[in-house]
Amino acid sequence: MIVLATVFVTLAAALHIGIFILESVAWARPAIWKRFGVANQAAADTVRPMAYNQGFYNLFLAIGAIVGLILYGVGMHAPGLALILFTMASMVAAAIVLVTTGRSYIRAALVQGILPLIGFVLMLLA
């Protein structure tokens, strides 16, 4: 069970690193900001600082999950598990908040929230 839990936590971390890249590194490309529903270059320029900042939040959550997995893997089970559960719960909570901003965000929230939710539950069961 721990192997499967580790896979889902790792996938959740990888997804959030990918989101970081989109929001903080590649935002200037129209294909990227259009994915986020931004209509034009002026709007993309306006929200760029927010996207940049938000991308780093995603990166920090991913780093937390990875550090938690490392701690767990080297035998520091309690702190590793605590960090994993915290970061997975934070990712799920962020997905829930995303849904509250409008029905058009349900798909994005599911993409961002399913992997950490599964990882959270599997870590509890492992």
Side-chain angles (χ1 to χ4, degrees):
M1 183 75 71
I2 190 65
V3 172
L4 192 56
T6 299
V7 167
F8 276 94
V9 171
T10 302
L11 288 172
L15 174 66
H16 282 73
I17 291 169
I19 295 168
F20 157 74
I21 292 168
L22 293 174
E23 292 176 337
S24 298
V25 177
W27 185 260
R29 296 185 208 150
I32 302 301
W33 48 258
K34 285 179 182 178
R35 272 187 180 176
F36 289 88
V38 177
N40 55 54
Q41 185 67 55
D45 291 343
T46 299
V47 300
R48 184 178 187 157
M50 183 185 69
Y52 181 78
N53 188 22
Q54 187 171 300
F56 274 91
Y57 278 91
N58 283 294
L59 177 63
F60 299 148
L61 287 172
I63 291 169
I66 292 165
V67 170
L69 287 171
I70 291 168
L71 291 173
Y72 194 92
V74 299
M76 298 178 70
H77 293 146
L81 181 61
L83 189 52
I84 291 166
L85 293 177
F86 175 78
T87 56
M88 293 299 103
S90 295
M91 290 175 186
V92 171
I96 292 168
V97 169
L98 186 57
V99 169
T100 68
T101 61
R103 290 174 122 359
S104 63
Y105 295 101
I106 290 174
R107 182 175 178 263
L110 288 171
V111 168
Q112 290 182 40
I114 292 294
L115 291 173
L117 178 61
I118 294 170
F120 184 92
V121 170
L122 290 176
M123 286 303 298
L124 285 178
L125 297 173

